[in-house]
C-alpha cells in the first residue's frame, strides 16, 4: 500500500547546507534534551532517523533526486555508505546483510531508473521474507504526475512486491515514517518496505525529534499461538506413527533453531529443511533427512509423501516442495504453524492451523508434548525409522564424474564446504550450482546459507556475499556462482575491492546455462537452443583476467588434483576478493529430480532410476 502524508504548502528551492552557528572561541551550546525538536533539513532528518533506528550500512548510488540526502550522509559517523556499481547490487547486498544478521538491510537509489533497478531485489526480498528498507528519491512534489525527467511511480510499481510503502510529502513525517518502515520490515513476517521521498521534501526545513510516535492502526502481528491448537498438535504428535517436521525459513527468521532441535530430540521425529531453512537444523544430526522438494533427497521426499502427520513450521507449501499439489502427502494430517495467517491453508488445507512466531509456537509445543506424554515416552517410531533408514541407504547423496574426465562441479562444491567449514557463510546464485551447494555443503548453523529461493534471481550471489561480508567482517564468505549468474552482477567485485570486502567467488564454469541445458536435455530432445555462453569454447570472458581488472585475485582450476590447493590459496588471500574459475564438465546434472508439474512419487534418483514407494513398505 501507499501512504501519502499531508502535502506541505512550501515548494521552496534548495535549502543551503546550514553553517556552524559557533564562532571561533565561542562556548559550545549544550545539547538539547532527548526528544526536543531541532531545526534541520528533511535530508538531515532522514540521516538522523537512520542513525536513531540503528542502521549501520547503506548500500546505494547517488543521483539527482536523492542527492540532498547524500550531503548529510557524508558527515554521519554511525551510518556507513557503500557505493555500489548498480542499484540491483545495492538491493541484493542489503538482503545479504539482513540474512546474515537478522537485522534490517538498507539500500538507497535515486528516482526513475535508479528506483526501478531496485524492483528485482524488492521482489526477491518479498518472496523470501527479508527485512529490507529501500529509500528512493522522487521528483519534486509540483512535478509528480507530469512525466518529469527521471520520474517513475515507484510506489505504484512496487505495491505488489513490498510489505508496505510510503510516499513522504511532508518533511515533518520523515522520522515517523522511517521508524514505521523499520518496524514493519522487521516485525511479524519480515519483508521489504519502500520509502519514496521527493527532492524538495529532502531540501525543506523541518524539525527533528526522536523517538516519534508511530501510527500503524490495524497492524498487530500475532506472536503468541492459541493454546488449544498447540495442545491439539501435541496430541497428534503423540499418536502419529509416521510424522515429519517440515521446517521452513520462518524458523530462521524467528531465531528458533535451538527450540527446533529440542522439539526434534524430545519427539524423535525426522526433520526436513527446505532450501530457505538450510542450517536451521544441523545436517550432521541423525534425525535430519536433508532438503525436500524438486531436488531434495529421496529420503526427505519419500518421508513427506508417506507421512501420516506433517508438522509444518514456518514453511509455505510452495510448488518446489510439493510437486503436483493434489498428490502431495496424501495420507498426512497437517499441522501448519506460521506467523502469516495468509499462508495457512493457502496451498494445502491445514487440519490444525497455528498462527504465531515460530519460537513461541515451538516453545509451547515442547511443553504441550511433555504434558501429553507425561514427559517420559516418545511416540513409537521404530518401524518408521526402519523404513527411512532403508531409503537413506538405498539412495544416498552422490554424483558421477564426467565420462570425458572433466572436473566434477559437485566435487568442487563439496571440497569448498569441507575446507571452508561450517563457520563460513555461503551464498549462491540460481541454477545447478545453487542446488549442488544446497546438497553437498554441510550446514550446521543458522544464517550460514543465503540464496534466492522464491524468486530465483540470477546474479544474486556476488552482491549478497558482499552484504554478508560487511555484516560479518570476521567470517569467511563464499559466493558459489555459475558462469551465467556471475556475468550479471560481477561489477560489484569492484565495490568489494575498493570498500574492503574480501569475498571468495567460486565460478562453476560449465560453459552454458546449466539448469536450462538440463531441461533441454531431458524434455526438449537435446535441442540446446541459446544456452551456450562461450565461456568454455572461447573463454569470453576470461574470468581470471576479469577478476584482476576488478581489483581481485584471479585463479583457475581444471583438474581434481588442483582443487584443494586452489581453495586453500583463495582462503589465504584476505586483502582483496578472490575469483576462482572452476572449469567443469558441461553435462553434469542435478539429481534427484522431480520434474515440474509431476508428483513427488515420480522422483528420479538419477536418469532413468525412479524409486518405488510401495504401500507395503511403509510402517502401519
Amino acid at each position: 500500500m501507499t501512504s501519502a502524508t499531508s502535502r506541505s504548502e512550501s515548494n521552496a528551492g534548495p535549502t543551503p547546507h546550514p553553517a556552524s552557528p559557533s564562532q571561533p572561541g565561542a562556548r559550545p551550546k549544550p545539547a538539547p534534551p532527548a526528544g526536543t525538536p531541532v531545526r534541520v533539513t528533511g535530508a538531515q532528518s532522514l540521516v538522523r532517523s537512520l542513525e536513531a533506528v540503528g542502521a549501520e550500512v547503506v548500500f546505494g548510488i547517488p543521483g539527482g533526486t536523492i542527492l540532498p540526502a547524500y550531503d548529510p550522509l557524508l558527515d554521519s559517523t554511525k551510518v556507513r555508505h557503500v557505493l555500489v556499481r548498480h542499484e540491483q547490487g545495492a538491493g541484493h547486498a542489503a538482503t545479504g546483510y539482513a540474512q546474515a544478521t537478522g537485522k534490517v538491510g538498507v539500500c538507497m537509489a535515486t528516482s526513475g531508473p535508479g528506483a526501478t533497478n531496485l524492483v528485482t531485489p524488492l521482489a526477491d526480498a518479498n518472496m523470501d521474507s527479508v527485512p529490507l528498507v529501500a529509500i528512493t528519491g522522487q521528483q519534486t512534489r509540483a512535478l509528480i504526475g507530469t512525466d518529469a525527467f527521471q520520474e517513475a511511480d515507484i510506489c505504484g510499481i512496487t505495491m505488489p512486491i513490498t510489505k508496505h510503502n510510503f510516499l513522504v510529502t511532508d518533511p515533518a513525517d520523515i522520522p515517523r515514517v522511517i521508524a514505521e518502515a523499520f518496524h514493519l520490515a522487521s516485525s511479524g513476517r519480515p519483508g521489504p518496505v519502500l520509502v519514496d521521498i521527493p527532492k524538495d521534501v529532502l531540501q525543506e526545513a523541518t524539525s527533528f525529534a526522536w523517538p516519534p510516535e508511530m501510527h500503524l492502526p490495524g497492524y498487530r502481528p500475532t506472536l503468541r499461538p492459541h493454546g488449544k491448537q498447540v495442545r491439539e498438535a501435541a496430541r497428534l504428535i503423540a499418536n502419529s506413527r509416521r510424522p515429519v517436521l517440515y521446517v521452513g525459513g520462518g524458523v530462521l527468521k524467528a531465531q528458533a533453531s535451538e527450540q527446533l532441535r529440542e522439539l526434534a530430540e524430545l519427539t524423535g521425529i525426522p526433520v526436513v529443511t527446505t532450501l530457505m531453512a538450510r542450517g536451521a537444523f544441523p545436517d550432521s544430526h541423525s534425525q535430519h533427512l536433508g532438503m525436500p522438494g524438486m531436488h531434495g533427497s529421496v529420503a526427505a521426499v519419500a518421508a513427506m509423501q508417506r507421512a501420516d502427520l506433517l508438522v509444518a513450521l514456518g514453511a509455505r507449501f510452495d510448488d518446489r516442495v510439493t510437486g503436483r499439489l493434489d498428490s502431495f502427502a496424501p495420507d498426512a494430517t497437517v499441522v501448519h504453524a506460521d506467523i502469516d495467517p495468509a499462508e495457512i491453508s493457502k496451498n494445502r488445507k491445514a487440519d490444525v492451523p497455528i498462527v504465531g512466531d515460530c519460537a513461541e509456537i515451538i516453545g509451547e509445543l515442547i511443553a504441550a508434548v511433555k504434558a501429553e506424554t507425561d514427559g517420559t515416552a516418545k511416540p513409537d517410531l521404530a518401524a518408521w525409522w526402519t523404513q527411512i533408514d532403508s531409503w537413506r541407504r538405498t539412495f544416498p547423496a552422490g554424483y558421477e564424474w564426467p565420462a570425458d574426465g572433466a572436473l566434477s562441479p559437485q566435487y568442487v562444491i563439496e571440497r569448498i564446504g569441507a575446507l571452508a567449514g561450517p563457520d563460513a557463510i555461503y551464498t549462491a546464485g540460481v541454477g545447478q550450482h545453487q542446488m549442488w551447494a544446497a546438497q553437498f555443503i554441510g550446514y550446521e548453523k543458522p544464517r550460514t546459507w543465503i540464496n534466492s529461493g522464491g524468486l530465483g534471481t540470477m546474479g544474486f550471489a556476488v552482491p549478497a556475499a558482499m552484504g554478508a561480508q560487511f555484516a560479518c567482517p570476521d567470517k569467511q564468505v563464499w559466493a558459489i556462482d555459475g558462469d551465467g549468474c556471475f556475468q550479471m552482477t560481477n561489477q560489484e567485485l569492484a565495490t568489494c575491492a575498493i570498500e574492503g570486502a574480501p569475498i571468495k567467488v567460486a565460478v562453476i564454469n560449465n560453459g552454458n546455462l546449466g539448469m536450462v541445458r538440463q531441461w533441454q536435455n531431458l524434455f526438449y530432445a537435446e535441442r540446446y537452443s541459446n544456452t551456450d555462453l562461450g565461456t568454455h569454447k572461447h573463454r569470453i570472458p576470461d574470468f581470471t583476467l576479469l577478476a584482476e581488472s576488478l581489483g581481485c585475485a584471479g585463479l583457475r582450476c581444471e583438474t581434481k588434483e588442483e582443487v584443494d590447493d586452489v581453495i586453500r590459496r583463495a582462503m589465504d588471500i584476505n586483502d582483496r576478493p578472490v575469483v576462482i574459475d572452476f572449469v567443469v564438465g558441461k553435462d553434469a546434472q542435478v539429481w534427484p529430480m522431480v520434474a515440474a508439474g509431476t508428483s513427488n512419487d515420480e522422483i528420479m534418483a538419477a536418469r532413468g532410476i525412479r524409486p518405488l514407494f510401495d504401500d507395503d513398505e511403509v510402517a502401519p
Side-chain angles (χ1 to χ4, degrees), residues 366-427:
I366 290 168
V369 168
K370 288 179 178 178
E372 185 71 31
T373 61
D374 296 325
T376 58
K378 293 181 180 180
D380 181 8
L381 306 182
W384 183 222
W385 274 111
T386 296
Q387 176 61 76
I388 288 170
D389 288 338
S390 173
W391 287 325
R392 289 205 281 201
R393 285 191 307 271
T394 307
F395 301 104
Y399 52 88
E400 295 180 355
W401 278 78
D404 62 1
L407 184 58
S408 162
Q410 299 97 321
Y411 177 77
V412 167
I413 293 169
E414 188 175 56
R415 294 308 299 160
I416 290 172
L419 294 173
D423 290 321
I425 295 174
Y426 303 90
T427 71

Side-chain angles (χ1 to χ4, degrees), residues 331-354:
D331 300 322
T333 300
V334 172
V335 174
H336 192 178
D338 201 280
I339 198 164
D340 184 356
E343 289 296 343
I344 306 292
S345 295
K346 184 178 78 174
N347 294 326
R348 171 67 178 261
K349 183 181 182 300
D351 298 287
V352 180
I354 308 177

Side-chain angles (χ1 to χ4, degrees), residues 217-232:
Y219 180 70
R220 296 181 183 85
T222 300
L223 301 181
R224 294 291 301 275
H226 194 288
K228 181 180 179 181
Q229 293 162 314
V230 172
R231 290 191 295 274
E232 177 61 15

Side-chain angles (χ1 to χ4, degrees), residues 602-616:
E602 299 178 63
I603 187 172
M604 294 179 285
R607 187 170 189 137
I609 300 176
R610 182 169 284 117
L612 299 176
F613 303 142
D614 295 328
D615 289 341
D616 59 3

Side-chain angles (χ1 to χ4, degrees), residues 504 554-556 564-573 578:
K504 325 292 183 190
L555 307 173
R556 179 174 288 119
D564 281 16
D565 179 61
V566 170
I567 294 170
R568 289 192 176 99
R569 284 166 59 195
M571 291 171 61
D572 288 339
I573 299 172
V578 183

Side-chain angles (χ1 to χ4, degrees), residues 5-9 11 141-142 144 169-170:
T5 55
S6 59
R7 180 180 293 277
S8 167
E9 296 299 320
N11 280 314
R141 287 168 290 188
I144 291 176
T169 57
D170 186 338

Side-chain angles (χ1 to χ4, degrees), residues 232-240 243 263 267 269 309 311 365 369 379:
E232 177 61 15
R235 185 189 67 79
L236 289 171
I237 287 172
N239 292 308
S240 67
L263 176 65
T267 60
I269 297 176
L309 175 66
V311 181
L365 194 53
V369 168

